Amino acid sequence: MFGLANPDRFMRVTRGLTAPLWALAAILLAAGTWLAFAAPEDYQQGDTVRIMFVHVPAASVGLGIYAALGISSFFVLIWRHPLADAAARAAALPGAVYTGLALVTGAVWGKPMWGAWWVWGDARLMSVLVLFLFYLGYMALRSAIEDEARAARAAAVLGLVGLINLPIVRFSVDWWNTLHQPASLLRADGPSMTGEFLWPLLTMMAAYGVLFLALWLTAIRTEVVRRRVRAIQARAAWRA
Protein backbone atom coordinates (compact mmCIF):
# COMPACT_ATOMS: atom_id res chain seq x y z
CA MET A 1 0.00 0.00 0.00
CA PHE A 2 2.77 2.44 0.94
CA GLY A 3 4.59 1.54 -2.27
CA LEU A 4 1.56 2.72 -4.24
CA ALA A 5 1.78 6.07 -2.45
CA ASN A 6 4.29 7.07 -5.11
CA PRO A 7 2.20 8.73 -7.86
CA ASP A 8 4.39 7.37 -10.69
CA ARG A 9 4.17 3.81 -9.36
CA PHE A 10 0.43 4.19 -8.74
CA MET A 11 -0.14 5.33 -12.32
CA ARG A 12 1.85 2.41 -13.71
CA VAL A 13 0.13 -0.24 -11.58
CA THR A 14 -3.40 1.04 -12.17
CA ARG A 15 -3.01 1.72 -15.90
CA GLY A 16 -4.22 -1.77 -16.79
CA LEU A 17 -6.84 -2.06 -14.03
CA THR A 18 -9.45 0.53 -14.90
CA ALA A 19 -10.76 -1.04 -18.13
CA PRO A 20 -11.22 -4.55 -16.60
CA LEU A 21 -12.96 -3.01 -13.59
CA TRP A 22 -15.40 -1.09 -15.80
CA ALA A 23 -16.10 -4.26 -17.79
CA LEU A 24 -16.60 -6.36 -14.65
CA ALA A 25 -18.91 -3.73 -13.17
CA ALA A 26 -21.06 -3.77 -16.33
CA ILE A 27 -21.26 -7.58 -16.28
CA LEU A 28 -22.18 -7.69 -12.59
CA LEU A 29 -24.78 -4.94 -12.99
CA ALA A 30 -26.38 -6.79 -15.90
CA ALA A 31 -26.37 -10.10 -14.01
CA GLY A 32 -27.65 -8.51 -10.81
CA THR A 33 -30.46 -6.72 -12.63
CA TRP A 34 -31.54 -9.95 -14.34
CA LEU A 35 -31.48 -11.86 -11.05
CA ALA A 36 -33.41 -9.09 -9.31
CA PHE A 37 -36.25 -9.19 -11.85
CA ALA A 38 -36.18 -13.00 -11.92
CA ALA A 39 -36.64 -13.21 -8.14
CA PRO A 40 -40.20 -13.98 -7.00
CA GLU A 41 -42.45 -11.51 -5.24
CA ASP A 42 -42.21 -11.40 -1.47
CA TYR A 43 -45.25 -12.75 0.35
CA GLN A 44 -45.53 -9.54 2.41
CA GLN A 45 -43.92 -6.81 0.28
CA GLY A 46 -44.90 -8.02 -3.16
CA ASP A 47 -42.98 -6.42 -6.04
CA THR A 48 -41.68 -3.60 -3.84
CA VAL A 49 -39.11 -6.03 -2.45
CA ARG A 50 -37.08 -5.41 -5.62
CA ILE A 51 -36.19 -1.94 -4.31
CA MET A 52 -33.99 -3.81 -1.82
CA PHE A 53 -31.61 -4.76 -4.64
CA VAL A 54 -30.86 -1.06 -5.23
CA HIS A 55 -31.31 0.38 -1.75
CA VAL A 56 -29.23 -2.02 0.34
CA PRO A 57 -26.15 -2.07 -1.97
CA ALA A 58 -26.23 1.73 -2.30
CA ALA A 59 -26.40 2.18 1.47
CA SER A 60 -23.74 -0.42 2.23
CA VAL A 61 -21.24 0.76 -0.38
CA GLY A 62 -21.91 4.41 0.49
CA LEU A 63 -20.91 3.59 4.06
CA GLY A 64 -17.76 1.82 2.88
CA ILE A 65 -16.81 4.71 0.62
CA TYR A 66 -16.82 7.10 3.55
CA ALA A 67 -14.52 4.72 5.41
CA ALA A 68 -12.13 4.97 2.43
CA LEU A 69 -12.46 8.77 2.48
CA GLY A 70 -11.78 8.90 6.22
CA ILE A 71 -8.73 6.62 6.06
CA SER A 72 -7.34 8.65 3.16
CA SER A 73 -7.93 11.82 5.21
CA PHE A 74 -5.92 10.30 8.06
CA PHE A 75 -2.96 9.78 5.71
CA VAL A 76 -3.35 13.35 4.47
CA LEU A 77 -3.04 14.75 8.00
CA ILE A 78 -0.22 12.46 9.14
CA TRP A 79 1.97 12.31 6.02
CA ARG A 80 0.45 15.13 3.92
CA HIS A 81 0.74 12.93 0.86
CA PRO A 82 -0.92 14.37 -2.27
CA LEU A 83 -2.02 10.94 -3.50
CA ALA A 84 -3.97 10.33 -0.29
CA ASP A 85 -5.63 13.71 -0.78
CA ALA A 86 -6.48 12.76 -4.36
CA ALA A 87 -8.01 9.49 -3.11
CA ALA A 88 -10.14 11.26 -0.49
CA ARG A 89 -11.28 13.89 -2.96
CA ALA A 90 -12.12 11.26 -5.59
CA ALA A 91 -14.25 9.29 -3.12
CA ALA A 92 -16.49 12.19 -2.09
CA LEU A 93 -18.73 12.54 -5.15
CA PRO A 94 -19.38 8.80 -5.71
CA GLY A 95 -20.04 8.43 -1.99
CA ALA A 96 -22.56 11.27 -2.05
CA VAL A 97 -24.31 9.75 -5.08
CA TYR A 98 -24.50 6.29 -3.49
CA THR A 99 -25.78 7.67 -0.18
CA GLY A 100 -28.26 9.97 -1.93
CA LEU A 101 -29.53 6.99 -3.92
CA ALA A 102 -29.95 5.06 -0.67
CA LEU A 103 -32.00 7.90 0.83
CA VAL A 104 -34.25 8.25 -2.23
CA THR A 105 -34.87 4.52 -2.68
CA GLY A 106 -35.38 4.17 1.06
CA ALA A 107 -38.13 6.79 0.91
CA VAL A 108 -39.75 5.05 -2.07
CA TRP A 109 -39.57 1.72 -0.24
CA GLY A 110 -40.72 3.21 3.06
CA LYS A 111 -43.95 4.72 1.73
CA PRO A 112 -45.74 1.39 0.99
CA MET A 113 -44.10 -0.42 3.92
CA TRP A 114 -44.38 2.18 6.69
CA GLY A 115 -46.98 4.52 5.27
CA ALA A 116 -44.54 7.48 5.27
CA TRP A 117 -41.78 8.77 2.99
CA TRP A 118 -39.65 9.88 5.93
CA VAL A 119 -39.66 9.52 9.74
CA TRP A 120 -37.52 12.11 11.51
CA GLY A 121 -37.24 10.08 14.70
CA ASP A 122 -35.74 7.01 13.02
CA ALA A 123 -32.07 6.60 14.02
CA ARG A 124 -31.02 4.81 10.83
CA LEU A 125 -32.63 7.39 8.57
CA MET A 126 -31.12 10.31 10.48
CA SER A 127 -27.62 8.83 10.68
CA VAL A 128 -27.60 8.13 6.93
CA LEU A 129 -28.79 11.69 6.30
CA VAL A 130 -25.91 12.95 8.46
CA LEU A 131 -23.54 10.78 6.38
CA PHE A 132 -24.88 12.40 3.21
CA LEU A 133 -24.38 15.86 4.73
CA PHE A 134 -20.78 15.00 5.62
CA TYR A 135 -20.16 14.14 1.97
CA LEU A 136 -21.69 17.44 0.85
CA GLY A 137 -19.79 19.34 3.53
CA TYR A 138 -16.50 17.77 2.46
CA MET A 139 -17.01 18.79 -1.17
CA ALA A 140 -18.22 22.28 -0.22
CA LEU A 141 -15.20 22.85 2.02
CA ARG A 142 -12.83 21.76 -0.74
CA SER A 143 -14.47 24.20 -3.13
CA ALA A 144 -14.55 27.09 -0.66
CA ILE A 145 -10.77 27.26 -0.07
CA GLU A 146 -8.63 28.27 -3.03
CA ASP A 147 -5.29 27.15 -1.62
CA GLU A 148 -5.11 23.39 -2.28
CA ALA A 149 -2.85 22.63 0.67
CA ARG A 150 -5.15 24.41 3.14
CA ALA A 151 -8.22 22.90 1.51
CA ALA A 152 -6.74 19.41 1.79
CA ARG A 153 -5.97 19.79 5.51
CA ALA A 154 -9.33 21.35 6.39
CA ALA A 155 -11.28 18.75 4.43
CA ALA A 156 -9.18 15.95 5.96
CA VAL A 157 -10.17 17.10 9.45
CA LEU A 158 -13.83 17.03 8.45
CA GLY A 159 -13.35 13.63 6.83
CA LEU A 160 -11.92 12.22 10.06
CA VAL A 161 -14.71 13.72 12.18
CA GLY A 162 -17.27 12.04 9.94
CA LEU A 163 -15.87 8.61 10.80
CA ILE A 164 -17.63 8.92 14.16
CA ASN A 165 -20.93 8.55 12.34
CA LEU A 166 -20.10 5.21 10.68
CA PRO A 167 -20.67 2.95 13.72
CA ILE A 168 -23.82 4.92 14.48
CA VAL A 169 -25.17 4.11 11.01
CA ARG A 170 -24.10 0.47 11.29
CA PHE A 171 -25.45 -0.25 14.78
CA SER A 172 -28.38 2.17 14.94
CA VAL A 173 -30.89 -0.66 14.54
CA ASP A 174 -29.31 -2.45 17.51
CA TRP A 175 -28.87 0.53 19.81
CA TRP A 176 -32.29 2.15 19.30
CA ASN A 177 -35.82 1.15 18.35
CA THR A 178 -36.14 1.99 14.66
CA LEU A 179 -38.45 1.19 11.79
CA HIS A 180 -35.60 -0.66 10.10
CA GLN A 181 -35.31 -4.37 10.69
CA PRO A 182 -32.11 -5.81 12.24
CA ALA A 183 -29.26 -6.96 10.01
CA SER A 184 -30.22 -9.67 7.52
CA LEU A 185 -26.77 -10.43 6.08
CA LEU A 186 -24.10 -9.97 8.76
CA ARG A 187 -25.49 -12.23 11.44
CA ALA A 188 -23.79 -14.72 13.73
CA ASP A 189 -26.15 -17.46 12.57
CA GLY A 190 -25.87 -16.56 8.88
CA PRO A 191 -28.10 -14.57 6.50
CA SER A 192 -31.81 -14.64 7.33
CA MET A 193 -33.06 -14.43 3.73
CA THR A 194 -33.48 -17.27 1.27
CA GLY A 195 -31.19 -17.83 -1.70
CA GLU A 196 -33.68 -16.47 -4.24
CA PHE A 197 -33.27 -13.04 -2.65
CA LEU A 198 -29.76 -13.44 -1.25
CA TRP A 199 -27.94 -14.08 -4.55
CA PRO A 200 -29.41 -11.10 -6.43
CA LEU A 201 -28.59 -8.90 -3.45
CA LEU A 202 -24.99 -10.14 -3.18
CA THR A 203 -24.51 -9.76 -6.93
CA MET A 204 -25.76 -6.17 -6.86
CA MET A 205 -23.58 -5.38 -3.86
CA ALA A 206 -20.56 -6.72 -5.73
CA ALA A 207 -21.57 -4.70 -8.80
CA TYR A 208 -21.88 -1.48 -6.81
CA GLY A 209 -18.55 -2.14 -5.12
CA VAL A 210 -16.66 -2.84 -8.36
CA LEU A 211 -18.32 0.16 -10.01
CA PHE A 212 -17.05 2.38 -7.22
CA LEU A 213 -13.53 0.98 -7.57
CA ALA A 214 -13.64 1.73 -11.30
CA LEU A 215 -14.89 5.27 -10.66
CA TRP A 216 -12.41 5.82 -7.83
CA LEU A 217 -9.31 4.69 -9.72
CA THR A 218 -10.35 6.66 -12.80
CA ALA A 219 -10.95 9.80 -10.71
CA ILE A 220 -7.65 9.44 -8.82
CA ARG A 221 -5.71 9.00 -12.06
CA THR A 222 -7.48 12.04 -13.52
CA GLU A 223 -6.63 14.07 -10.41
CA VAL A 224 -2.96 13.07 -10.62
CA VAL A 225 -2.83 14.16 -14.26
CA ARG A 226 -4.61 17.44 -13.41
CA ARG A 227 -2.07 18.25 -10.70
CA ARG A 228 0.83 17.43 -12.98
CA VAL A 229 -0.55 19.75 -15.65
CA ARG A 230 -1.03 22.53 -13.09
CA ALA A 231 2.56 22.06 -11.87
CA ILE A 232 3.88 22.29 -15.43
CA GLN A 233 1.79 25.41 -16.08
CA ALA A 234 3.02 26.99 -12.83
CA ARG A 235 6.68 26.34 -13.75
CA ALA A 236 6.12 27.73 -17.24
CA ALA A 237 4.48 30.87 -15.84
CA TRP A 238 7.32 31.35 -13.32
CA ARG A 239 9.97 31.08 -16.04
CA ALA A 240 8.08 33.53 -18.23
Side-chain angles (χ1 to χ4, degrees):
M1 180 182 67
F2 288 100
L4 288 176
N6 181 286
D8 291 332
R9 188 177 295 112
F10 173 84
M11 295 295 280
R12 287 197 306 270
V13 171
T14 60
R15 184 181 298 117
L17 290 178
T18 52
L21 283 173
W22 281 108
L24 180 58
I27 293 170
L28 288 171
L29 281 172
T33 301
W34 182 83
L35 289 171
F37 281 102
E41 293 184 6
D42 183 71
Y43 75 101
Q44 288 181 320
Q45 302 182 48
D47 252 344
T48 59
V49 73
R50 303 185 202 285
I51 302 174
M52 172 179 66
F53 303 128
V54 177
H55 172 72
V56 174
S60 300
V61 177
L63 198 65
I65 293 173
Y66 198 92
L69 187 153
I71 293 171
S72 299
S73 297
F74 174 78
F75 288 129
V76 171
L77 288 177
I78 299 301
W79 287 285
R80 298 187 180 183
H81 202 287
L83 193 59
D85 178 50
R89 187 173 188 176
L93 180 57
V97 172
Y98 274 74
T99 307
L101 179 61
L103 289 170
V104 171
T105 53
V108 174
W109 197 7
K111 179 61 176 175
M113 293 298 101
W114 304 333
W117 297 99
W118 185 267
V119 179
W120 287 104
D122 186 87
R124 173 59 64 82
L125 290 176
M126 293 305 300
S127 56
V128 174
L129 177 61
V130 169
L131 177 65
F132 181 65
L133 294 177
F134 266 113
Y135 276 123
L136 296 184
Y138 181 93
M139 291 187 290
L141 187 58
R142 292 297 306 242
S143 300
I145 303 176
E146 293 185 4
D147 182 83
E148 285 206 8
R150 289 181 55 236
R153 290 193 296 271
V157 171
L158 181 62
L160 279 177
V161 171
L163 288 176
I164 299 172
N165 188 48
L166 299 191
I168 298 176
V169 176
R170 173 65 182 84
F171 297 107
S172 56
V173 294
D174 301 316
W175 294 344
W176 296 283
N177 291 323
T178 74
L179 293 172
H180 283 78
Q181 67 183 38
S184 299
L185 289 177
L186 300 178
R187 294 160 49 102
D189 55 350
S192 62
M193 63 181 64
T194 60
E196 57 196 1
F197 296 113
L198 178 62
W199 287 112
L201 180 59
L202 292 177
T203 303
M204 288 300 283
M205 291 181 72
Y208 278 44
V210 174
L211 178 60
F212 165 66
L213 288 177
L215 287 166
W216 198 27
L217 286 182
T218 302
I220 295 173
R221 289 176 57 82
T222 302
E223 180 67 12
V224 170
V225 172
R226 183 189 71 84
R227 294 185 181 194
R228 285 177 174 176
V229 170
R230 288 193 62 178
I232 292 172
Q233 290 175 338
R235 286 197 297 268
W238 182 80
R239 290 171 181 171

